[in-house]
Amino acid sequence: FLLGGADVAIDCVGSRSSLNLALRITRAGGRVVVSGIPTEGADLTPLWFRELELVGAYTGGIERYDGQERHAFDIAIDIASRNPLDGVVGATYPLRRWREAVDHAMSAGKLGTLKVTFDPRHD
């Protein structure tokens, strides 16, 4: 984690442990987005030590896209459905194997993988 990490980590859970994890797996100079509602304080040491950007996100909004005003989530789903990820996603993991997925992502370049994803539909 000292030499790498995620460019952006998004904490959607809001627990102390999930925010601590997000702060620790983000590369120096990276961004941590907090969309889960934090219930307890976290150790913010990585925030200053790694010079992270901490951003809050409450909800999606209405955006102008293709000349229309639409909900941001609908726009994201449209964009994703029109741009298949074949050849980009090298490995998909169920959420319960998140540690293995993070290890794979950290070695992705050596393994020839561009992206590692989660599929919550599979256990």
Side-chain angles (χ1 to χ4, degrees):
F1 294 116
L2 291 175
L3 299 176
D7 293 332
V8 177
I10 302 172
D11 176 21
C12 299
V13 177
S15 71
R16 176 186 298 219
S17 62
S18 66
L19 185 52
N20 282 337
L21 179 63
L23 290 166
R24 281 168 176 69
I25 66 165
T26 305
R27 68 164 174 77
R31 176 184 292 178
V32 176
V33 179
V34 179
S35 70
I37 300 171
T39 57
E40 305 175 24
D43 176 12
L44 298 179
T45 305
L47 186 64
W48 64 263
F49 182 71
R50 301 177 83 171
E51 298 180 339
L52 300 175
E53 178 184 5
L54 185 63
V55 178
Y58 182 64
T59 186
I62 303 298
E63 304 291 336
R64 180 165 280 294
Y65 181 75
D66 282 343
Q68 299 176 4
E69 288 192 359
R70 299 177 55 201
H71 198 281
F73 291 117
D74 293 333
I75 295 168
I77 290 169
D78 282 351
I79 291 170
S81 67
R82 285 186 271 133
N83 295 285
L85 298 176
D86 299 342
V88 175
V89 176
T92 302
Y93 290 88
L95 291 174
R96 66 180 168 73
R97 292 177 48 201
W98 68 268
R99 282 190 173 96
E100 187 179 344
V102 170
D103 286 342
H104 188 151
M106 295 297 290
S107 300
K110 290 182 252 177
L111 298 172
T113 301
L114 292 177
K115 297 291 178 185
V116 175
T117 64
F118 292 102
D119 188 344
R121 298 172 295 180
H122 299 287
D123 188 2

